[in-house]
Amino acid sequence: MRAVRVLSAALLMLGLAAAPAAADSTPSPEASGDGGGPTRAGTSFRTATEVEQEQTATARASTGDYLYWSFPADAGQRPTVRAMVKLPEGHAAETWQIDVYDGLRRRQACQYGAQTRTAVAGAASVEVACVLRTVRAWSEPWADDPLPGTYYVRLTVLKLSADDLGKPVDVELRVESKDMGGAAAVDGSLSEPLVPGIGSREKEEALHGPKSVLAELEPEDGWTSGWWSDRWIWTAAGGALAALAGVLGYRLTRGPGRPRHVPPGA
């Protein structure tokens, strides 16, 4: 009887140990992947996973899931968002799309890039990309211009066969920006960047600590770190050239000056 009890206990412990392993094998947006960046994706705007620029985020999900990430973008930057989806074997044709929203959750149009792409049946992967317009430091309230703050990325499949729904996929997301310099500079700036929770930052941090703010990522040098641009250099150079041109113009147009005094009878 003791041997039977020991054997039963061993089988029970083996079953309990195998159950979590079986559960972990189920694809999920929160399952971990490879790489040094975040290894999960959110399923809504509020649960979007924060990712820094020039950092690769990975996630393992199921076909049909909505995947969300967020990243900070400052004035003068032109962000490029790329996502590559590794598809399962034996799938039918699928159409994937990437969308980018600003801090007000307004969908931002892509300046160029394959925002929507269809993978043929059996393709190993599909890549989508979106190059946003340059982020402006200030804009009119009625305009739809990109403004400094948090941006949201949503990746999802638009068209697929019923047999492919729920199959596992691996996703890689990367955000990079190009500094557009003084050509994109405008007069004026926002009082605060469009970051969730920034309006109550001081109050929430005093009550619950700095982790209470919904979006914590910001540019490396802080917001509006790009206040210095080549626009200042061109303005100073233009002023110096204008002053030099004024001096030269005066020298050329004043003539030889007053005539010398000639004594009477000379």
Side-chain angles (χ1 to χ4, degrees):
M1 291 297 295
R2 179 175 297 178
V4 173
R5 291 178 182 178
V6 171
L7 181 59
S8 300
L11 293 176
L12 179 60
M13 293 299 295
L14 181 62
L16 291 176
D24 291 343
S25 63
T26 303
S28 169
E30 301 181 356
S32 60
D34 297 329
T39 56
R40 56 186 298 173
T43 55
S44 66
F45 285 101
R46 293 188 60 86
T47 61
T49 298
E50 295 182 340
V51 56
E52 296 181 0
Q53 294 196 26
E54 300 185 357
Q55 186 181 48
T56 301
T58 58
R60 181 170 299 167
S62 299
T63 306
D65 289 340
Y66 283 82
L67 308 180
Y68 288 82
W69 294 268
S70 66
F71 66 93
D74 206 357
Q77 294 182 339
R78 188 178 67 185
T80 299
V81 184
R82 304 181 188 275
M84 185 181 68
V85 184
K86 297 179 182 179
L87 303 173
E89 297 182 357
H91 67 84
E94 298 180 1
T95 301
W96 288 78
Q97 178 171 302
I98 190 171
D99 297 295
V100 183
Y101 300 82
D102 63 8
L104 299 178
R105 299 186 185 180
R106 301 176 302 181
R107 184 176 180 272
Q108 292 294 318
C110 299
Q111 192 174 16
Y112 55 87
Q115 181 182 6
T116 303
R117 178 168 288 180
T118 299
V120 298
S125 62
V126 60
E127 183 175 350
V128 289
C130 177
V131 180
L132 296 176
R133 295 171 294 167
T134 303
V135 179
R136 296 165 56 91
W138 178 86
S139 178
E140 295 288 349
W142 46 263
D144 195 26
D145 297 322
L147 295 172
T150 300
Y151 282 77
Y152 298 92
V153 181
R154 183 179 69 183
L155 177 67
T156 187
V157 59
L158 299 181
K159 297 179 181 179
L160 78 162
S161 65
D163 295 336
D164 293 333
L165 184 63
K167 287 186 176 181
V169 292
D170 291 322
V171 181
E172 292 184 1
L173 179 89
R174 186 174 180 85
V175 181
E176 298 177 342
S177 287
K178 180 179 180 181
D179 188 1
M180 303 306 294
V186 296
D187 296 329
S189 60
L190 299 178
S191 58
E192 296 287 355
L194 302 179
V195 176
I198 196 168
S200 58
R201 179 189 293 269
E202 295 182 358
K203 180 179 179 181
E204 291 296 325
E205 288 185 353
L207 294 176
H208 307 290
K211 296 297 184 180
S212 61
V213 181
L214 294 180
E216 300 174 2
L217 291 183
E218 62 180 30
E220 182 178 357
D221 298 328
W223 292 108
T224 63
S225 58
W227 67 271
W228 171 261
S229 67
D230 53 5
R231 186 180 184 184
W232 293 93
I233 300 177
W234 287 108
T235 301
L241 291 176
L244 181 60
V247 172
L248 293 177
Y250 174 75
R251 294 289 298 272
L252 292 174
T253 58
R254 75 170 184 168
R258 298 178 59 185
R260 293 186 302 171
H261 178 70
V262 179

